[in-house]
Amino acid sequence: DVVMTQTPPSLSVAIGQSVSISCKSSQSLVYSDGKTYLHWLLQSPGRSPKRLIYQVSNLGSGVPDRFSGTGSQKDFTLKISRVEAEDLGVYYCAQTTHFPPTFGAGTKLELK
Amino acid sequence: EVQLVESGGGLVQPGGSLKLSCVASGFTFRDYWMNWVRQAPGKTMEWIGDIKPDGSNTNYAPSVKNRFTISRDNAKSILYLQMSNMRSDYTATYYCVRGWFHYWGQGVMVTVSS
């Protein structure tokens, strides 16, 4: 299985600060169609996960443009500009390029 | 509004069986691949399996293959997960998910314990 390694495991931030989360995969996530199926999810406390970004950099519907995703091959980054209170929770990267789909261990974003 | 509502969770003994349901609304259910994903307490997500829109093809994670069966009723917009020969490490919240993690249900808790 493709191993997804997220760093850091946790982040303590102040409202208004910008942060970045790294996700590295054990294999290239470029599929045979040329697309890269790397996604970012947010699980707010006590809630179901919500997809923020799909295919590396495409913002999900209704997701603020404070969120952005970059990367290629095996190295990806989620950036949150000007963190707001509603952004707190656990962020996961996930890949659906290779079978079976796999998730990172998560990065917990907390208030400083 | 897309809604996915799971039901059928609860306590089951090791070796036992349980069937989960997920009622979908707010979209044309028969047009979408559907997935089941689970999350053990305090852990990350684990993909369980998926089913093609017409129900003709299913895929499963190796950890649950031959124990779990995914099916669907497109006339009723319901997704199912039949779990058998369950183990204690199957204790988790089970989510019904549309497509590649686009929409998630609220989840249903399954506890496997004697």
Side-chain angles (χ1 to χ4, degrees):
Chain A
D1 296 2
V2 175
V3 177
M4 306 296 288
T5 303
Q6 283 184 242
T7 54
S10 64
L11 273 173
S12 185
V13 300
I15 299 299
Q17 187 180 342
S18 294
V19 296
S20 292
I21 299 170
S22 170
C23 176
K24 297 184 189 296
S25 57
S26 59
Q27 301 177 35
S28 171
L29 298 186
V30 180
Y31 189 55
S32 55
D33 62 3
K35 296 179 181 178
T36 301
Y37 294 92
L38 182 284
H39 320 288
W40 289 97
L41 313 171
L42 166 61
Q43 188 170 32
S44 301
R47 305 288 301 272
S48 303
K50 173 186 175 182
R51 192 183 72 177
L52 298 175
I53 288 175
Y54 62 98
Q55 294 176 37
V56 182
S57 59
N58 296 287
L59 233 53
S61 57
V63 176
D65 60 7
R66 299 181 289 100
F67 293 90
S68 62
T70 58
S72 63
Q73 301 288 331
K74 298 167 60 176
D75 197 348
F76 304 92
T77 301
L78 174 71
K79 183 176 180 180
I80 313 169
S81 304
R82 305 178 307 280
V83 168
E84 298 187 4
E86 66 184 28
D87 301 337
L88 304 181
V90 182
Y91 289 81
Y92 297 95
C93 59
Q95 67 83 22
T96 54
T97 296
H98 300 284
F99 182 87
T102 49
F103 296 81
T107 295
K108 188 172 185 179
L109 190 64
E110 300 174 298
L111 259 185
K112 187 177 289 183
Chain B
E1 179 193 6
V2 171
Q3 286 200 319
L4 300 167
V5 180
E6 302 94 337
S7 61
L11 176 64
V12 59
Q13 292 190 335
S17 298
L18 199 64
K19 187 173 186 177
L20 306 182
S21 300
C22 169
V23 176
S25 61
F27 65 100
T28 305
F29 181 72
R30 64 178 178 270
D31 287 348
Y32 290 88
W33 283 82
M34 295 296 296
N35 294 262
W36 286 98
V37 175
R38 68 185 177 188
Q39 186 176 31
K43 303 292 186 182
T44 187
M45 266 68 73
E46 179 187 13
W47 178 83
I48 293 173
D50 62 13
I51 185 167
K52 197 174 178 180
D54 65 2
S56 63
N57 187 39
T58 52
N59 300 290
Y60 299 95
S63 58
V64 303
K65 196 167 186 180
N66 300 322
R67 292 174 181 259
F68 287 10
T69 302
I70 298 173
S71 60
R72 64 193 296 162
D73 183 335
N74 283 346
K76 296 181 179 179
S77 297
I78 302 177
L79 177 71
Y80 299 102
L81 177 65
Q82 175 69 55
M83 302 181 286
S84 61
N85 195 12
M86 296 181 71
R87 309 186 318 215
S88 58
D89 62 342
Y90 290 173
T91 294
T93 297
Y94 286 73
Y95 294 100
C96 164
V97 185
R98 193 187 93 175
W100 285 136
F101 315 140
H102 193 174
Y103 289 101
W104 295 64
Q106 86 286 355
V108 62
M109 184 68 200
V110 172
T111 302
V112 184
S113 175
S114 54

